[in-house]
Amino acid sequence: MRTLCALLTGLALATVAHAEDTEFWPEASLYKQLSETTRLYFDATYAKGKESPVASLDASAYVDFSIQPIYRPYLVSEDWQRNRYLWARLGYTRVSKTSLGTRELSENRGVASLQARAPLPADVWLEGRARADLRWISGSYSTRYRFRGEISREFEVLRQMTVPYVRGEWMYDTRYDAHSRSLYEAGVETKLTRHFRVEAYLAWQYDYQPDKDSLRAFGLVAKWYY
């Protein structure tokens, strides 16, 4: 497991260091548990294109809720999300895009998603998510449907929780009535303290609408849990 984490981290850093077209996606998240079945989630994400002056800042607020597992106690984990077979998320995202210091585009986005998990052999978990983005972009409404699959496994490394994963996501945009984007990620999340975790990942994004394009990115997420 230590070798796997080292390889993922080394690959990410090597890609960032040697690929001029690789973007950096920093992110900060805060989770506040309200009860055994409900929590709040706040998130801020920044991205700036390597070949473009356009920068994007997403600020989000969500509420997550679920039914506490009762009949399968072996599922119980110290992590709220991995301690669920089924849970939902409702929230709002404000997207602001600027170019050379001038606002280029704004978006108000309602988010509704449903997420489920199922066990596989060798303590591996399969996780699926269906999400709808209700988008008002510069006053025009559209919907983006997102379907994601993920495979992960929770390990204990130096008495701390470590979770490597791979995931893929497919997106359909009603503005074009077509498959608009695919996103693939491989990364690892590591618990550093009771309240703080860090996640590093590599992402490959392929756009098909309105124009064909692709990019690579290195993401780094700081996560606080309370």
Side-chain angles (χ1 to χ4, degrees), residues 112-158:
S113 67
L114 185 65
Q115 200 147 323
R117 304 179 72 240
L120 298 177
D123 294 326
V124 175
W125 284 86
L126 173 65
E127 189 168 303
R129 186 187 75 180
R131 169 173 163 171
D133 292 341
L134 314 177
R135 312 172 76 189
W136 286 265
I137 305 174
S138 297
S140 298
Y141 176 76
S142 63
T143 307
R144 181 170 61 186
Y145 300 100
R146 306 170 61 164
F147 304 94
R148 189 177 78 182
E150 175 182 303
I151 295 176
S152 66
R153 191 183 191 282
E154 185 174 324
F155 293 89
E156 187 175 290
V157 179
L158 301 177

Side-chain angles (χ1 to χ4, degrees), residues 68-83:
Q68 179 75 5
I70 298 175
Y71 299 108
R72 305 186 192 184
Y74 66 83
L75 179 62
V76 175
S77 165
E78 64 180 277
D79 181 84
W80 191 95
Q81 180 173 331
R82 282 184 286 275
N83 196 21

Side-chain angles (χ1 to χ4, degrees), residues 7 15 24 28 35 46 57 77 87 90 95 115 136 139 160 178 181 185 188 191 203 210 216 225-226:
L7 286 174
T15 302
F24 176 50
S35 68
Y46 178 80
L57 176 64
S77 165
W87 58 280
L90 294 174
V95 181
Q115 200 147 323
W136 286 265
Q160 298 292 358
R181 174 178 293 175
E185 298 173 337
V188 60
K191 177 182 175 182
R216 289 178 296 181
Y225 290 80
Y226 294 97

Side-chain angles (χ1 to χ4, degrees), residues 154-172:
E154 185 174 324
F155 293 89
E156 187 175 290
V157 179
L158 301 177
R159 298 185 179 181
Q160 298 292 358
M161 180 185 67
T162 300
V163 185
Y165 64 84
V166 292
R167 64 170 65 122
E169 186 169 13
W170 180 87
M171 306 181 199
Y172 180 92

